[in-house]
């Protein structure tokens, strides 16, 4: 889950993977599928559930472009309806990738989603490296996908070219200074209209409920009676929605870094603003106490003030990067936040702040670019910037929130999170302007689950992007769920390097053994 680019900062609730690219699928070597649509499905769904995946090697010359995985990785495309209320209408494709099991795959396929909205699961497969241990690789085919409208899955586009996206991201204004909430609504109305001009019909059907339906078609095409699933961050929202719609199809489900489906846009903004403010202070304390070359010579409080001065300078002065693009306060804020997702990138943040203290903002702009998939040559990998807005606004738009409500929320954001709060307000205004959605009549309903499989929710006590309270809330909403807690900093837990978490999650996925209720795994040094 994130917030708006340009005037709103984009905070991706996703497992961080570097932006690369993927390629096409060729000849099949292991057909599956052949199932019937679930009882009650609309007429015309049987053909989608009966399809067989054409798995093959991923090559640069094919229809799924830009994949740089190893020879053992395979690709396929899944066909699904654009609109599930009209299965006999237009179709779209979902790009998939997999790491075949190194053993006999007795558990079948484990479907993984890295988060977002707008995150690429195909990139996750091509860059997974040590994320999946030997036991999990032996026990499962690891499968992931680009959700509908994202990257290789009939991706939406909203601009004529990458330079136009650069220009959109380079606007420096904030609501309350030289634009109004109505200006922001108009901006996102125009953005949505640009997306409609450059995209196909999937633009209006990128909502999470439709992605969950795609996941069930995927289950059938994989030849499985149930879905085993590992979802990170926004991927937990997909998983929770799947559990609500298809409770009898839930297998072994792990939801790591949970999103609260009932949280409003303003509640999400507050949770993330406070979370990243806390993460910045943790970085400051680590920097001032443990780093011999900390960017600040003072205390943690001094460092917090210096960061706010760095942000203020980017608003007051005309700062440009090496390619002539303006460095905006939003980009600076994103550049500070991006390395706060993991303590492993604290040194990179320290160097970027040291440079900025000396007037060089290049590194902070580069970190902001990374958050949007912008590459060194000026092109963008994927479409996460615009996909994020499309999904969020299709999932939830509250027209009852007034400009006065948003102004009061903005004041509270700034008081509770003085560094990042100014960049996270007015989320409702953006979606009020978006010309589509929401798709569901009640998009903020709880994640009710009536199945017989136990779901494992994993939450980090100091997770800045998906606060621990959201994992507690999702566990309660699901009912039949166990909460596994990690005490430590950073976003999501399975990839944090905490061996206790990895052991517990793998034991559940491979053997069905749940951790005891109340289990807490502490990061090293805590």
């Amino acid at each position: 889950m994130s917030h708006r680019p340009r005037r709103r900062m984009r905070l991706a609730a996703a497992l961080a993977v570097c932006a690369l690219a993927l390629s096409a699928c060729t000849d099949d070597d292991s057909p599956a599928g052949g199932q019937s649509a679930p009882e009650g499905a609309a007429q015309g769904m049987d053909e989608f559930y009966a399809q067989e995946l054409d798995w093959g090697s991923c090559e640069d010359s094919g229809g799924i472009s830009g994949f740089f995985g190893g020879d053992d990785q395979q690709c396929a495309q899944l066909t699904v309806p654009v609109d599930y209320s009209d299965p006999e209408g237009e179709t779209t494709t979902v790009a998939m990738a997999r790491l075949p099991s190194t053993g006999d795959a007795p558990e079948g396929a484990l479907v993984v989603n890295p988060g977002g909205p707008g995150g690429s699961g195909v990139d996750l497969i091509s860059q997974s490296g040590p994320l999946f241990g030997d036991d999990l690789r032996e026990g499962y085919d690891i499968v992931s996908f680009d959700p509908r409208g994202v990257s290789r899955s009939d991706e939406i586009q909203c601009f004529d070219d990458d330079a136009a996206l650069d220009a959109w991201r380079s606007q420096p204004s904030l609501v309350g200074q030289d634009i109004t909430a109505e200006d922001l609504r108009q901006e996102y109305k125009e953005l949505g209209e640009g997306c409609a001009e450059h995209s196909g019909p999937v633009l209006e059907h990128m909502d999470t409920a439709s992605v969950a339906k795609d996941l069930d078609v995927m289950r059938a095409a994989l030849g499985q009676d149930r879905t085993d699933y590992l979802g990170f961050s926004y991927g937990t929202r997909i998983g929770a929605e799947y559990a609500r719609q298809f409770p009898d199809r839930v297998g072994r489900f792990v939801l790591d870094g949970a999103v609260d489906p009932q949280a409003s846009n303003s509640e999400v903004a507050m949770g993330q603003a406070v979370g990243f403010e806390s993460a910045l202070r943790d970085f400051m304390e680590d920097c001032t106490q443990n780093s011999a070359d900390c960017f600040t010579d003072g205390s943690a409080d001094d460092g917090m003030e210096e960061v706010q001065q760095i942000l203020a300078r980017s608003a007051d002065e005309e700062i440009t990067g090496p390619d002539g693009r303006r460095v905006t306060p939003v980009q600076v804020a994103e550049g500070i936040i991006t390395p706060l997702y993991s303590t492993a990138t604290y040194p990179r943040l320290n160097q970027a702040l040291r440079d900025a203290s000396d007037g060089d903002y290049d590194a902070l702009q580069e970190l902001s670019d990374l958050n949007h998939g912008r590459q060194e040559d000026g092109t963008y990998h994927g479409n996460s910037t615009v996909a994020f807005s499309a999904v969020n606004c299709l999932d939830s738009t509250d027209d009852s929130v007034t400009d006065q409500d948003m102004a009061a929320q903005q004041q509270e954001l700034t008081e509770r999170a003085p560094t990042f709060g100014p960049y996270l307000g007015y989320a409702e205004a953006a979606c009020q302007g978006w010309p589509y959605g929401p798709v569901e009549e009640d998009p903020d309903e709880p994640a009710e689950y009536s199945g017989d499989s136990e779901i494992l929710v994993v939450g980090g006590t100091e997770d800045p992007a998906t606060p621990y309270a959201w994992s507690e809330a999702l566990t309660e909403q699901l009912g039949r769920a166990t909460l596994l807690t990690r005490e430590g900093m950073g976003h999501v837990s399975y990839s944090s390097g905490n061996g206790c978490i990895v052991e517990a999650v793998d034991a559940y996925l491979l053997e069905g053994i749940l951790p005891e209720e109340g289990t807490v795994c502490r990061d090293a040094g805590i």
Side-chain angles (χ1 to χ4, degrees):
M1 302 263 318
S2 330
H3 284 278
R4 319 298 165 198
R6 185 175 176 177
R7 295 176 174 87
R8 302 301 86 202
M9 185 165 46
R10 179 179 177 277
L11 306 184
L15 176 66
V17 292
C18 300
L20 290 179
L22 145 137
S23 150
C25 307
T26 59
D27 296 335
D28 172 41
D29 63 358
S30 56
Q35 298 192 15
S36 299
E39 184 177 351
Q43 182 176 347
M45 284 303 302
D46 278 342
E47 64 178 287
F48 297 102
Y49 275 82
Q51 68 185 293
E52 296 181 350
L53 294 170
D54 186 20
W55 289 109
S57 63
C58 302
E59 299 175 343
D60 291 341
S61 59
I64 304 180
S65 61
F67 188 82
F68 299 113
D71 293 338
D72 60 334
Q73 299 168 8
Q74 299 173 321
C75 295
Q77 294 194 31
L78 182 75
T79 302
V80 293
V82 167
D83 182 354
Y84 275 90
S85 68
D86 182 21
E88 296 179 334
E90 296 184 83
T91 63
T92 188
T93 57
V94 174
M96 299 172 59
R98 73 174 176 182
L99 289 167
S101 168
T102 57
D104 296 326
E107 306 296 340
L110 173 66
V111 181
V112 183
N113 181 273
S120 167
V122 175
D123 282 350
L124 176 68
I125 292 296
S126 71
Q127 305 159 40
S128 58
L131 177 61
F132 307 114
D134 291 343
D135 290 343
L136 203 65
R137 285 293 318 280
E138 183 176 353
Y140 279 105
D141 292 333
I142 308 295
V143 174
S144 196
F145 62 102
D146 289 354
R148 52 174 48 216
V150 172
S151 197
R152 307 160 190 87
S153 294
D154 198 8
E155 69 174 355
I156 63 166
Q157 292 293 336
C158 304
F159 299 95
D160 291 333
D161 52 32
D162 291 329
L165 177 53
D166 276 345
W168 189 72
R169 286 184 54 218
S170 295
Q171 298 293 331
S173 303
L174 290 171
V175 174
Q177 295 181 1
D178 52 1
I179 69 166
T180 66
E182 183 56 35
D183 291 333
L184 189 61
R185 277 188 282 270
Q186 182 62 29
E187 177 187 335
Y188 275 79
K189 177 178 182 294
E190 293 172 359
L191 174 64
E193 291 170 348
C195 297
E197 180 182 348
H198 294 88
S199 307
V202 75
L203 172 67
E204 298 182 50
H205 299 277
M206 293 174 62
D207 56 293
T208 303
S210 293
V211 175
K213 292 180 174 66
D214 293 345
L215 183 56
D216 198 56
V217 175
M218 190 179 301
R219 169 199 60 76
L222 289 167
Q224 302 195 169
D225 293 331
R226 296 195 179 212
T227 298
D228 289 351
Y229 181 79
L230 172 58
F232 298 102
S233 200
Y234 165 73
T236 69
R237 177 78 183 265
I238 297 172
E241 177 62 22
Y242 183 90
R244 186 183 71 82
Q245 290 191 46
F246 304 100
D248 296 335
R249 300 298 191 185
V250 172
R252 294 172 184 172
F253 256 48
V254 178
L255 306 179
D256 182 2
V259 172
D260 179 0
Q262 288 193 289
S264 66
N265 279 333
S266 60
E267 290 169 336
V268 168
M270 184 63 70
Q272 292 190 323
V274 172
F276 279 103
E277 198 84 15
S278 176
L280 181 62
R281 179 161 291 278
D282 179 77
F283 160 76
M284 290 299 173
E285 292 174 352
D286 178 75
C287 188
T288 55
Q289 295 173 18
N290 302 320
S291 177
D293 62 345
C294 185
F295 81 99
T296 179
D297 295 328
S299 65
D301 286 340
D302 294 330
M304 297 291 283
E305 291 182 8
E306 289 181 39
V307 166
Q308 291 169 25
Q309 291 168 7
I310 287 170
L311 278 159
R313 193 181 309 126
S314 67
D316 295 339
E317 302 176 10
E318 187 81 18
I319 300 172
T320 57
D323 59 2
R325 287 183 298 142
R326 175 167 181 175
V327 181
T328 72
V330 169
Q331 291 176 3
V332 174
E334 287 180 337
I336 296 168
I337 276 182
T338 298
L340 290 176
Y341 276 79
S342 170
T343 58
T345 47
Y346 279 5
R348 185 169 182 180
L349 175 57
N350 182 47
Q351 185 59 53
L353 291 174
R354 177 178 291 281
D355 292 347
S357 296
D358 294 333
D360 180 356
Y361 283 68
D362 292 0
L364 289 176
Q365 188 178 50
E366 288 172 4
L367 286 164
S368 173
D369 287 345
L370 178 64
N371 188 41
H372 290 268
R374 190 182 193 275
Q375 302 174 106
E376 290 185 4
D377 62 0
T379 62
Y380 284 82
H381 175 73
N383 65 337
S384 62
T385 298
V386 292
F388 163 82
S389 293
V391 174
N392 272 356
C393 294
L394 287 172
D395 277 355
S396 179
T397 301
D398 190 348
D399 291 328
S400 69
V401 179
T402 66
D403 291 3
Q404 291 75 20
D405 294 333
M406 285 183 266
Q409 292 164 2
Q410 181 63 78
Q411 182 177 351
E412 184 181 1
L413 273 169
T414 302
E415 290 172 353
R416 295 187 60 186
T419 308
F420 301 122
Y423 305 94
L424 288 170
Y426 290 90
E428 288 87 354
C431 279
Q432 286 170 359
W434 191 256
Y436 311 107
V439 174
E440 298 286 295
E441 291 184 8
D442 186 12
D444 297 328
E445 61 184 325
E448 296 179 350
Y449 168 58
S450 59
D452 58 7
S453 294
E454 192 82 12
I455 293 174
L456 179 61
V457 179
V458 187
T461 57
E462 302 298 331
D463 187 323
T466 52
Y468 182 68
W470 297 357
S471 290
E472 293 179 309
L474 181 60
T475 303
E476 183 176 355
Q477 289 171 41
L478 290 168
R480 193 173 178 82
T482 296
L483 177 60
L484 172 64
T485 299
R486 176 179 64 89
E487 283 192 3
M489 303 297 300
H491 183 41
V492 304
S493 296
Y494 188 75
S495 61
S496 68
N498 187 308
C500 170
I501 292 289
V502 172
E503 182 178 350
V505 170
D506 285 359
Y508 173 59
L509 289 173
L510 292 168
E511 303 173 48
I513 301 173
L514 281 164
E516 292 184 10
E517 191 74 39
T519 296
V520 177
C521 295
R522 293 175 176 83
D523 283 353
I526 293 180

